Amino acid sequence: MNGGTMMKRWLKGSSYTLEPYISLYVFLFVLFVIGVIFGASLVGSLSFLQKQDLLFFVEQYFQSFTEQSRQLTLSELVNSFWTHGKYVTFLFLFGLSFIGLPVVWFLLFIKGIVIGFTVGFLVNQLTWQGFLISLTSVAPQNLLIVPAYLLIVASSMIFCIHVMKMLFAKGKSYYTIGQAMSLYFKSYLIALLIILGGSVIEAFISSQAMYFILK
């Protein structure tokens, strides 16, 4: 059996996170988008002085960022992966229990707020420069990182659904608790691999793009 076939079968083991749960992914995506919109709207609620204070810290960060040597190092990749990997791990752990599901939804919503507020503030204060910075330094890695968050949150919900079926509706689940846990853990590993890809983009592409834009 070649490596490609083995990988295909291994990924197929996590197929329970894809179909027939499309509506679940739509729900989580909408929840995330609401968070983004809410985060962007928070910018408008800030007073002029609050915006100026925050802009001062942003400009200080940009200045220190451009003064640093922009040699590509693994430390940036490790820091990025550690940051996002911790977040995914928290989602995974909270998703192990039905009680933790509201926390998982809240963390996903908070992630949307952070992204929405960041992009909204940059565009509000720096206009087209802020939009360009957001487009090149915020968006690229999140094209992978956000789907990884959606994957692990959806997987946690599906895991809880199967456990509830096993406990309260005998014979309604296709999996044992051990099998469901194994599939959930596989989804976690897949999410980490996606996070690693996003971290590579953030460390080696987005940071360089932002450096040249700020220069």
Side-chain angles (χ1 to χ4, degrees):
M1 183 182 297
N2 57 44
T5 303
M6 292 179 63
M7 178 60 72
K8 184 177 180 180
R9 289 191 175 185
W10 188 79
L11 291 175
K12 187 178 180 181
S14 296
S15 61
Y16 83 112
T17 62
L18 299 178
E19 293 182 354
Y21 299 102
I22 300 300
S23 58
L24 187 146
Y25 278 94
V26 172
F27 161 73
L28 294 176
F29 180 74
V30 170
L31 177 65
F32 173 79
V33 170
I34 292 175
V36 172
I37 297 173
F38 182 74
S41 65
L42 286 177
V43 177
S45 65
L46 297 177
S47 67
F48 175 78
L49 291 179
Q50 289 174 324
K51 290 180 180 179
Q52 291 303 305
D53 289 340
L54 188 55
L55 181 62
F56 172 77
F57 288 111
V58 171
E59 290 176 341
Q60 289 294 108
Y61 169 77
F62 285 162
Q63 182 177 351
S64 64
F65 182 83
T66 54
E67 291 175 351
Q68 297 174 359
S69 174
R70 295 315 304 159
Q71 295 179 350
L72 298 179
T73 61
L74 287 178
S75 62
E76 291 187 26
L77 172 60
V78 172
N79 290 335
S80 177
F81 181 73
W82 174 249
T83 300
H84 300 299
K86 281 193 302 183
Y87 208 87
V88 166
T89 301
F90 286 143
L91 293 173
F92 170 77
L93 294 176
F94 280 118
L96 288 173
S97 66
F98 187 79
I99 299 177
L101 279 183
V103 179
V104 171
W105 296 337
F106 179 73
L107 290 176
L108 180 65
F109 182 72
I110 289 296
K111 182 62 178 178
I113 291 178
V114 171
I115 293 177
F117 183 83
T118 301
V119 175
F121 182 80
L122 290 175
V123 174
N124 181 270
Q125 294 297 303
L126 302 177
T127 59
W128 66 270
Q129 291 176 325
F131 174 77
L132 191 59
I133 292 174
S134 300
L135 187 65
T136 57
S137 63
V138 178
Q141 65 268 25
N142 280 301
L143 292 177
L144 289 179
I145 292 173
V146 171
Y149 290 154
L150 294 176
L151 171 63
I152 196 64
V153 173
S155 298
S156 67
M157 293 181 65
I158 297 168
F159 171 74
C160 288
I161 289 173
H162 284 291
V163 171
M164 294 293 288
K165 285 182 178 180
M166 284 177 250
L167 294 177
F168 300 106
K170 300 296 184 180
K172 295 295 184 180
S173 177
Y174 297 104
Y175 304 102
T176 63
I177 293 181
Q179 290 173 330
M181 185 64 203
S182 176
L183 293 173
Y184 184 33
F185 187 70
K186 284 182 180 181
S187 297
Y188 170 65
L189 294 180
I190 293 173
L192 286 181
L193 288 176
I194 299 174
I195 288 292
L196 179 59
S199 298
V200 170
I201 294 175
E202 182 175 0
F204 298 144
I205 298 178
S206 296
S207 62
Q208 295 299 311
M210 184 169 72
Y211 178 78
F212 287 117
I213 291 172
L214 294 176
K215 277 293 186 180

Short mmCIF file of all heavy atoms in Angstrom, two decimals, residues 15 22-23 37-38 48-50 61 75 79 84 92 105 107-108 121-122 132 159 165 167 176 185 199 205:
data_model
loop_
_atom_site.label_atom_id
_atom_site.label_comp_id
_atom_site.label_asym_id
_atom_site.label_seq_id
_atom_site.Cartn_x
_atom_site.Cartn_y
_atom_site.Cartn_z
N SER A 15 -14.16 11.78 7.69
CA SER A 15 -15.20 12.25 6.78
C SER A 15 -16.48 12.62 7.52
O SER A 15 -17.32 13.32 6.98
CB SER A 15 -15.51 11.18 5.72
OG SER A 15 -15.98 9.99 6.33
N ILE A 22 -23.05 19.88 6.53
CA ILE A 22 -22.79 21.15 5.87
C ILE A 22 -23.53 22.29 6.57
O ILE A 22 -22.98 23.39 6.74
CB ILE A 22 -23.21 21.09 4.39
CG1 ILE A 22 -22.41 19.99 3.66
CG2 ILE A 22 -22.98 22.44 3.72
CD1 ILE A 22 -20.92 20.21 3.68
N SER A 23 -24.76 22.05 7.00
CA SER A 23 -25.53 23.10 7.67
C SER A 23 -24.86 23.52 8.97
O SER A 23 -24.93 24.70 9.36
CB SER A 23 -26.95 22.60 7.97
OG SER A 23 -26.92 21.44 8.78
N ILE A 37 -18.28 41.22 11.99
CA ILE A 37 -19.09 42.44 11.83
C ILE A 37 -19.18 43.19 13.16
O ILE A 37 -19.05 44.42 13.20
CB ILE A 37 -20.50 42.09 11.31
CG1 ILE A 37 -20.40 41.47 9.91
CG2 ILE A 37 -21.39 43.32 11.30
CD1 ILE A 37 -21.72 40.95 9.38
N PHE A 38 -19.39 42.45 14.23
CA PHE A 38 -19.48 43.07 15.55
C PHE A 38 -18.15 43.74 15.92
O PHE A 38 -18.13 44.86 16.46
CB PHE A 38 -19.85 42.03 16.60
CG PHE A 38 -20.02 42.59 17.99
CD1 PHE A 38 -21.14 43.33 18.32
CD2 PHE A 38 -19.05 42.36 18.96
CE1 PHE A 38 -21.30 43.84 19.59
CE2 PHE A 38 -19.20 42.87 20.23
CZ PHE A 38 -20.33 43.62 20.55
N PHE A 48 -12.80 59.64 20.10
CA PHE A 48 -11.65 60.15 19.37
C PHE A 48 -10.35 59.92 20.14
O PHE A 48 -9.34 59.49 19.56
CB PHE A 48 -11.84 61.64 19.09
CG PHE A 48 -10.65 62.29 18.43
CD1 PHE A 48 -10.42 62.12 17.07
CD2 PHE A 48 -9.76 63.05 19.18
CE1 PHE A 48 -9.31 62.71 16.47
CE2 PHE A 48 -8.66 63.64 18.58
CZ PHE A 48 -8.44 63.47 17.22
N LEU A 49 -10.37 60.17 21.44
CA LEU A 49 -9.17 59.98 22.25
C LEU A 49 -8.76 58.51 22.32
O LEU A 49 -7.57 58.19 22.28
CB LEU A 49 -9.40 60.53 23.67
CG LEU A 49 -9.52 62.06 23.79
CD1 LEU A 49 -9.78 62.46 25.22
CD2 LEU A 49 -8.27 62.74 23.25
N GLN A 50 -9.75 57.62 22.42
CA GLN A 50 -9.45 56.20 22.45
C GLN A 50 -8.81 55.75 21.14
O GLN A 50 -7.85 54.95 21.14
CB GLN A 50 -10.73 55.39 22.72
CG GLN A 50 -11.25 55.53 24.14
CD GLN A 50 -12.58 54.83 24.33
OE1 GLN A 50 -13.43 54.81 23.43
NE2 GLN A 50 -12.79 54.25 25.50
N TYR A 61 4.25 50.07 17.30
CA TYR A 61 4.53 48.69 16.89
C TYR A 61 5.07 48.65 15.47
O TYR A 61 6.04 47.94 15.18
CB TYR A 61 3.26 47.85 16.99
CG TYR A 61 3.40 46.49 16.34
CD1 TYR A 61 4.10 45.46 16.96
CD2 TYR A 61 2.83 46.24 15.08
CE1 TYR A 61 4.24 44.23 16.36
CE2 TYR A 61 2.97 45.00 14.48
CZ TYR A 61 3.67 44.01 15.11
OH TYR A 61 3.82 42.78 14.51
N SER A 75 12.06 31.20 14.43
CA SER A 75 11.43 31.66 15.67
C SER A 75 10.06 32.28 15.41
O SER A 75 9.12 32.09 16.18
CB SER A 75 12.33 32.66 16.40
OG SER A 75 12.55 33.81 15.61
N ASN A 79 6.65 30.88 16.96
CA ASN A 79 5.77 31.75 17.76
C ASN A 79 4.35 31.78 17.18
O ASN A 79 3.37 31.74 17.93
CB ASN A 79 6.34 33.16 17.80
CG ASN A 79 7.60 33.26 18.63
OD1 ASN A 79 7.81 32.46 19.52
ND2 ASN A 79 8.44 34.24 18.33
N HIS A 84 -1.44 30.13 17.56
CA HIS A 84 -2.65 29.58 16.96
C HIS A 84 -2.90 28.14 17.41
O HIS A 84 -4.05 27.72 17.55
CB HIS A 84 -2.56 29.65 15.44
CG HIS A 84 -2.41 31.03 14.90
ND1 HIS A 84 -3.35 32.02 15.10
CD2 HIS A 84 -1.41 31.61 14.17
CE1 HIS A 84 -2.95 33.14 14.53
NE2 HIS A 84 -1.79 32.93 13.97
N PHE A 92 -10.24 22.27 21.19
CA PHE A 92 -10.30 20.80 21.23
C PHE A 92 -10.66 20.30 22.63
O PHE A 92 -11.53 19.44 22.80
CB PHE A 92 -8.97 20.22 20.78
CG PHE A 92 -8.84 18.74 20.99
CD1 PHE A 92 -9.47 17.85 20.14
CD2 PHE A 92 -8.08 18.24 22.04
CE1 PHE A 92 -9.35 16.48 20.32
CE2 PHE A 92 -7.96 16.87 22.24
CZ PHE A 92 -8.60 16.00 21.38
N TRP A 105 -18.09 27.92 21.10
CA TRP A 105 -18.77 28.91 20.24
C TRP A 105 -18.31 30.31 20.58
O TRP A 105 -18.09 31.13 19.69
CB TRP A 105 -20.28 28.80 20.43
CG TRP A 105 -20.87 27.50 19.99
CD1 TRP A 105 -20.33 26.62 19.08
CD2 TRP A 105 -22.09 26.92 20.44
NE1 TRP A 105 -21.15 25.53 18.94
CE2 TRP A 105 -22.24 25.68 19.76
CE3 TRP A 105 -23.08 27.30 21.34
CZ2 TRP A 105 -23.33 24.84 19.96
CZ3 TRP A 105 -24.17 26.47 21.55
CH2 TRP A 105 -24.28 25.26 20.85
N LEU A 107 -15.43 31.26 21.90
CA LEU A 107 -14.06 31.48 21.46
C LEU A 107 -14.00 31.73 19.95
O LEU A 107 -13.22 32.56 19.48
CB LEU A 107 -13.20 30.27 21.82
CG LEU A 107 -12.90 30.08 23.32
CD1 LEU A 107 -12.12 28.78 23.55
CD2 LEU A 107 -12.13 31.27 23.87
N LEU A 108 -14.84 31.02 19.20
CA LEU A 108 -14.90 31.27 17.76
C LEU A 108 -15.43 32.66 17.47
O LEU A 108 -14.93 33.37 16.59
CB LEU A 108 -15.79 30.21 17.09
CG LEU A 108 -15.96 30.33 15.57
CD1 LEU A 108 -14.63 30.11 14.86
CD2 LEU A 108 -17.00 29.34 15.06
N PHE A 121 -10.24 48.80 12.39
CA PHE A 121 -9.47 49.91 12.95
C PHE A 121 -8.40 50.38 11.97
O PHE A 121 -8.20 51.59 11.80
CB PHE A 121 -8.82 49.50 14.27
CG PHE A 121 -8.05 50.60 14.93
CD1 PHE A 121 -8.70 51.58 15.66
CD2 PHE A 121 -6.67 50.67 14.80
CE1 PHE A 121 -7.98 52.61 16.26
CE2 PHE A 121 -5.95 51.69 15.39
CZ PHE A 121 -6.61 52.66 16.14
N LEU A 122 -7.70 49.45 11.34
CA LEU A 122 -6.66 49.83 10.38
C LEU A 122 -7.24 50.62 9.22
O LEU A 122 -6.68 51.63 8.80
CB LEU A 122 -5.94 48.58 9.87
CG LEU A 122 -5.04 47.84 10.87
CD1 LEU A 122 -4.49 46.56 10.26
CD2 LEU A 122 -3.89 48.74 11.32
N LEU A 132 -4.55 48.01 2.66
CA LEU A 132 -3.47 47.26 2.04
C LEU A 132 -2.74 46.39 3.05
O LEU A 132 -2.39 45.24 2.77
CB LEU A 132 -2.48 48.23 1.37
CG LEU A 132 -1.42 47.62 0.46
CD1 LEU A 132 -2.07 46.86 -0.68
CD2 LEU A 132 -0.50 48.72 -0.10
N PHE A 159 -18.67 15.40 17.65
CA PHE A 159 -18.25 14.44 18.67
C PHE A 159 -19.28 14.37 19.79
O PHE A 159 -19.68 13.27 20.22
CB PHE A 159 -16.88 14.84 19.22
CG PHE A 159 -16.45 14.05 20.41
CD1 PHE A 159 -16.03 12.73 20.28
CD2 PHE A 159 -16.47 14.62 21.68
CE1 PHE A 159 -15.64 12.00 21.39
CE2 PHE A 159 -16.08 13.90 22.79
CZ PHE A 159 -15.65 12.58 22.65
N LYS A 165 -25.83 10.50 21.37
CA LYS A 165 -26.59 9.41 20.76
C LYS A 165 -26.27 8.08 21.43
O LYS A 165 -27.16 7.26 21.66
CB LYS A 165 -26.28 9.33 19.27
CG LYS A 165 -26.94 10.41 18.43
CD LYS A 165 -26.62 10.21 16.96
CE LYS A 165 -27.31 11.26 16.10
NZ LYS A 165 -27.02 11.07 14.65
N LEU A 167 -25.25 7.61 24.48
CA LEU A 167 -25.69 7.57 25.87
C LEU A 167 -27.21 7.52 26.02
O LEU A 167 -27.73 6.84 26.90
CB LEU A 167 -25.15 8.80 26.62
CG LEU A 167 -23.63 8.86 26.80
CD1 LEU A 167 -23.24 10.17 27.48
CD2 LEU A 167 -23.13 7.67 27.60
N THR A 176 -18.55 3.82 18.20
CA THR A 176 -18.40 3.67 19.63
C THR A 176 -17.75 4.95 20.15
O THR A 176 -17.28 5.79 19.38
CB THR A 176 -17.52 2.47 19.97
OG1 THR A 176 -16.20 2.69 19.45
CG2 THR A 176 -18.09 1.19 19.36
N PHE A 185 -9.89 13.24 17.41
CA PHE A 185 -8.46 13.52 17.54
C PHE A 185 -7.81 13.67 16.17
O PHE A 185 -6.91 14.50 16.00
CB PHE A 185 -7.78 12.39 18.32
CG PHE A 185 -6.34 12.66 18.65
CD1 PHE A 185 -5.99 13.62 19.58
CD2 PHE A 185 -5.33 11.97 18.00
CE1 PHE A 185 -4.66 13.88 19.88
CE2 PHE A 185 -3.99 12.23 18.28
CZ PHE A 185 -3.66 13.18 19.22
N SER A 199 0.69 29.33 9.63
CA SER A 199 1.82 29.93 10.35
C SER A 199 2.99 30.18 9.42
O SER A 199 3.71 31.18 9.55
CB SER A 199 2.24 29.02 11.50
OG SER A 199 1.19 28.85 12.43
N ILE A 205 5.63 35.10 4.70
CA ILE A 205 5.05 35.86 3.59
C ILE A 205 4.38 37.14 4.09
O ILE A 205 4.73 38.24 3.66
CB ILE A 205 4.04 34.99 2.81
CG1 ILE A 205 4.74 33.77 2.20
CG2 ILE A 205 3.35 35.82 1.71
CD1 ILE A 205 3.82 32.83 1.46
#
